[in-house]
Amino acid sequence: KILQLFDEYPKVFIVGADNVGSKQMQQIRSSLRGTAVILMGKNTMIRKAIRGHLDKNPGLEKLLPHIKGNIGFVFTKEELKVVRDKIQANKVAAPAKAGAMAQIDVFVPAGNTGLGPEKTSFFQALSITTKISRGTIEILNNVHLIIANEK
């Protein structure tokens, strides 16, 4: 199937599919229907198919080093910017999961937390300096909690 798509469509995206749920993938597929085709598959099978097709299309060799991790291909005949914008429109924020890699730096801002004084031990365990003012806990300084690309 991948060889047929490489022959039929002149343009291809490689997209990362980490932290993308099946419902979200379904919405992306439906929004791209008619303009693009999404193909997800086993990396080893995709590499094998591309290596077998190199004699007909030697430009595919440039894709081989990028086939790592949870990726998919988006084949299109449209303008790449239009297809990328459609994919980006389906991007949604999601809560972090335990053990997942942080995609951005996370800061806890200084200020009132609204928590009662009985929760100070929680902040002490995280080494966050606090004070109690007007019956609530207040964080004194901005705290750099998580660094990007760390668990």
Side-chain angles (χ1 to χ4, degrees):
K1 186 172 181 178
I2 192 168
L3 299 180
Q4 175 189 344
L5 289 169
F6 273 123
D7 291 337
E8 186 180 341
Y9 292 93
K11 298 175 185 171
V12 64
F13 270 116
I14 295 180
V15 292
D18 287 334
N19 305 320
V20 179
S22 58
K23 177 89 171 138
Q24 187 179 2
M25 187 61 82
Q26 183 182 4
Q27 289 172 339
I28 293 169
R29 283 183 196 268
S30 66
S31 72
L32 292 175
R33 197 164 286 140
T35 58
V37 177
I38 299 176
L39 179 80
M40 307 293 286
K42 290 288 203 184
N43 291 350
T44 49
M45 292 295 286
I46 292 171
R47 277 193 213 102
K48 185 176 180 183
I50 289 175
R51 284 192 184 110
H53 199 64
L54 283 176
D55 53 325
K56 293 181 186 168
N57 191 347
L60 294 178
E61 192 171 357
K62 293 176 184 166
L63 294 178
L64 288 173
H66 300 289
I67 302 175
K68 288 189 198 103
N70 192 6
I71 58 129
F73 290 91
V74 179
F75 295 92
T76 185
K77 293 178 182 173
E78 304 283 318
E79 199 60 42
L80 291 176
K81 187 174 183 335
V82 173
V83 176
R84 189 194 70 210
D85 290 343
K86 281 187 180 180
I87 293 171
Q88 291 285 350
N90 285 297
K91 193 174 183 178
V92 293
K97 294 185 178 119
M101 295 293 276
Q103 297 180 355
I104 58 171
D105 287 338
V106 177
F107 291 92
V108 178
N112 195 335
T113 62
L115 298 173
E118 68 277 0
K119 303 278 188 192
T120 54
S121 60
F122 173 73
F123 291 104
Q124 285 175 337
L126 296 172
S127 301
I128 297 174
T129 55
T130 59
K131 72 174 183 178
I132 297 171
S133 63
R134 292 193 221 119
T136 59
I137 299 174
E138 188 175 318
I139 297 174
L140 297 176
N141 306 319
N142 286 341
V143 180
H144 194 196
L145 203 60
I146 301 171
I147 300 168
N149 297 323
E150 281 190 1
K151 283 190 174 187

